[in-house]
């Protein structure tokens, strides 16, 4: 590890105020020095056994780092500082560990999907595509956007109004019951939502009916509890003082809710709706079940099958060969759509959020 | 403007808990009535019954009569929303609407009610209300900045401007200065002095000097113990209450506070 200089000086030369450290502190760069040292030692040790892999070096190095820095700090700085350094190391390591799958996922999707991302891929569908012709995702993009939009249109008003009821009006058994069932709904497996929508539309329109709206209904069923929950949280954050201030000005309750409560919470509501959309936009099972797959663009949500990006990816993947590339391309497009929606939502929230101090 | 409020035999409940009992008193127009009393004796509770804000809380209810201008505010076909338009309220903590600019905060009573107002009327209303609240010179150059960008004392005056913009008959104030520094407090006390010529003003305060300075009449509330309801002990001209109160409890409370 790093060279030891004589840092353990005699404390009796220092003034004896309880506010003044009676021990030294490590220089600011020392964690980095320890990190470097630990990685070198880990590489060396692993090289003795075999060929060092990056994963192995990172893991072993992290362990060495945590032990050596804590031990050295305990000797030089005292116990409290050592505990602090150990906790900091743990927290940082946890953060790093959480980032690994995220970064690796993005990296894999980008590496595999980017080569597919050509103009023709984005603007053509799969009509007449066979063999190694590239094909496209236009129909799946349209399907995903249309179905998700309809799911949003169905679930957001229901969700917001339920949340308003729970926060502003609901008391007693009814409100408790609704809260309970919302919690239960949050846990519904998506395939069950798909089956529900399928049987609902089959009962009403007969077994041959296929339309995007079936998928939208299934997704709406999954979205609604998420919307209710997040909007409810946001409405509860609105200070009661604002409601009272508006009521005391002689504003009727419904206008207080619309123009003060919802208006104040709107940034959070937009974020909550976005989370709900992100939750369902990648759903595959209920859509496979209800709206299936079709090769051409179909923007009519009330008539005929529709293709969505996840179903497209699944389907192409199972075809193998060039289909696998198309699946990666579709996955990348889906991630881009979610990112774009998030960006828009952020701008909207930023624009609508209560203005803080200048 | 400015009306008299006549309260008879008022009992105020939170669910089954009787918080204030048997209050009968009169608040005169164009004068300032102060409510004083120890913490928890029901001053805020009572004040909130005067514009029917009390019943906003779940389970809260009121028995008795509050008569303004010959109408019982708790009468069968009285609309609480209309009552609150006539009887405005300023809260303990300044609470401007965070999504609105300074000007929009003043216009809140109009805008939140979806009422149409011409640009010039709105500008007049903003100016006269802010002047009325002694805030105009401080904010006239930044009317479109958020209301929350003001200092606490300015925010409280903004809330007063917002309240008087809807032209109420009565203004209720619940410890309006308790979150403010002495200078802002003086500004608000001066303002109360001016507003008095147009409105019936009722103010709750823990500050004896403030009650003595701003009010014409003072009502002393007290509570016998926890769980017991608060009651009106006595009410009279402020000078009388502070110099020669007729009840011992009042004297104890006032002298205890003075030193
Ligand atoms: N929302 C409520 N629900 C139930 N009880 C309440 C509620 N608000 C107040 N109380 C009770 O009513 C009584 C009177 O309270 P109130 O707030 O009116 O006192 P106050 O005189 O304004 O006190 P302070 O001077 O501290 O503001 C107290 O016993 C209090 O605990
Ligand atoms: Mg109070």
């Amino acid at each position: 590890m790093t060279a030891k200089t004589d840092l353990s000086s005699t404390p009796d030369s220092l003034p004896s105020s309880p506010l003044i450290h009676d021990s030294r502190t490590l220089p600011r760069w020392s964690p980095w020095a320890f990190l470097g040292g630990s990685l070198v030692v880990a590489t060396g040790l692993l090289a003795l056994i075999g060929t060092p892999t990056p994963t192995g070096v990172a893991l072993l190095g992290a362990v060495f780092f945590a032990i050596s820095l804590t031990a050295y700090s305990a000797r030089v700085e005292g116990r409290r500082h050592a505990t602090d350094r150990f906790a900091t190391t743990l927290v940082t390591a946890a953060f790093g560990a959480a980032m690994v799958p995220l970064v690796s996922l993005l990296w894999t999707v980008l590496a595999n999907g980017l080569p597919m991302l050509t103009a023709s891929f984005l603007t053509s569908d799969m009509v007449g595509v066979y063999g190694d012709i590239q094909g496209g995702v236009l129909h799946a993009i349209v399907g995903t956007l249309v179905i998700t939009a309809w799911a949003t249109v169905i679930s957001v008003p229901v969700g917001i109004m339920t949340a308003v009821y729970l926060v502003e009006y609901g008391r007693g058994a009814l409100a408790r019951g609704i809260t309970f069932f919302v919690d239960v709904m949050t846990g519904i497996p998506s395939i069950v939502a798909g089956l529900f929508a399928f049987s609902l539309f089959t009962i009403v329109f007969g077994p041959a009916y296929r339309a995007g709206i079936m998928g939208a209904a299934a997704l709406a069923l999954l979205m609604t509890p998420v919307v209710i929950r997040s909007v409810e949280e946001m409405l509860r954050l609105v200070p009661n003082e604002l409601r009272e201030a508006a009521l005391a000005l002689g504003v009727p309750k419904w206008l207080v809710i619309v123009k003060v409560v919802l208006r104040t919470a709107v940034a959070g509501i937009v974020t909550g709706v976005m989370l709900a959309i992100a939750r369902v936009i990648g759903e595959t099972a209920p859509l496979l079940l209800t709206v299936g797959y079709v090769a051409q663009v179909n923007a009519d949500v009330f008539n005929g099958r529709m293709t969505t990006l996840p179903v497209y990816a699944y389907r192409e993947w199972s075809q193998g060969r060039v289909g696998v590339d198309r699946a990666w391309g579709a996955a990348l497009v889906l991630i881009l759509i979610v990112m774009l929606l998030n960006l828009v939502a952020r701008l909207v929230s930023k624009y609508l959020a209560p203005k803080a101090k200048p | 403007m400015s009306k008299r409020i006549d309260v008879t035999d008022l009992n105020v409940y939170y669910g089954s808990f009787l918080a204030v009992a048997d209050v009968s008193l009169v608040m005169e127009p164009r004068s300032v009535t102060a409510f004083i009393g120890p913490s928890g004796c029901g001053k805020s509770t009572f004040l909130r019954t005067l514009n029917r804000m009390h019943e906003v809380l779940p389970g809260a209810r009121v028995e008795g009569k509050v008569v303004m201008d010959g109408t019982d505010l708790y009468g069968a076909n009285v609309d609480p929303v209309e009552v609150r338009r006539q009887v405005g309220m300023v809260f303990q903590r300044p609470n401007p609407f965070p999504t609105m600019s300074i000007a929009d905060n003043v216009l809140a009573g109009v805008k939140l009610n979806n009422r149409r107002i011409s640009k010039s009327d709105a500008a007049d209303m903003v100016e006269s209300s802010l002047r009325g609240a002694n805030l105009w010179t401080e904010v006239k150059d930044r009317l479109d900045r958020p209301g929350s960008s003001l200092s606490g004392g300015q925010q409280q005056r903004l809330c007063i401007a917002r309240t008087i913009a809807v032209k109420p008959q009565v203004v209720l104030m619940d410890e309006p200065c308790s979150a403010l520094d002495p200078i802002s407090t003086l500004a608000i006390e001066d303002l109360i002095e001016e507003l008095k010529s147009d409105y019936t003003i009722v103010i709750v305060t823990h500050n004896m000097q403030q009650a003595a300075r701003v009010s014409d009449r003072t009502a002393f509330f007290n509570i016998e113990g926890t769980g017991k309801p608060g009651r009106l002990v006595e009410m009279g001209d402020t000078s009388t209450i502070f110099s020669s109160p007729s009840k011992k409890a009042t004297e104890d409370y006032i002298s205890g506070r003075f030193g």
Side-chain angles (χ1 to χ4, degrees), chain B residues 40 43-45 92 174-175 204 206:
Chain B
K43 306 178 295 295
S44 304
T45 305
Q92 181 167 358
D174 192 352
E175 303 184 43
V204 173
H206 276 294

Side-chain angles (χ1 to χ4, degrees), chain B residues 6 9 17 27 42 79 90 99 102 108 139 148 152 164 166 173 191 215 223 227 233 244 250-251:
Chain B
D6 231 308
D9 296 333
F17 171 61
M27 283 146 278
D79 178 7
V90 176
T99 51
I102 293 174
V139 301
S148 47
I164 60 182
V166 294
M173 300 184 174
L191 176 60
S215 72
I223 184 168
V233 175
S244 49
T250 318
E251 194 178 341

Side-chain angles (χ1 to χ4, degrees), chain A residues 255-311:
Chain A
L255 277 173
V256 174
I257 292 171
V258 174
K259 303 194 101 179
V260 177
V261 179
L262 289 176
R263 177 65 188 81
T264 308
V266 73
I269 293 176
V270 172
T271 313
V273 168
M274 258 326 296
L275 285 178
I277 292 178
R279 155 90 174 73
V280 300
I281 202 169
E283 278 297 344
T284 318
L287 295 174
L288 203 56
L289 200 74
T290 50
V291 296
Y293 180 87
V294 69
Q296 76 275 23
V297 174
N298 172 18
D300 183 358
V301 77
F302 295 106
N303 190 10
R305 296 170 189 276
M306 268 181 152
T307 306
T308 53
L309 283 165
V311 173

Side-chain angles (χ1 to χ4, degrees), chain A residues 241 244 247 250 259 358, chain B residues 48 85 93 111 114 145:
Chain A
E241 283 134 52
E244 296 211 324
L247 284 173
K259 303 194 101 179
Chain B
R48 289 165 58 94
R85 287 181 189 157
R93 288 217 327 215
K111 293 214 157 168
N114 278 341
R145 305 236 9 112

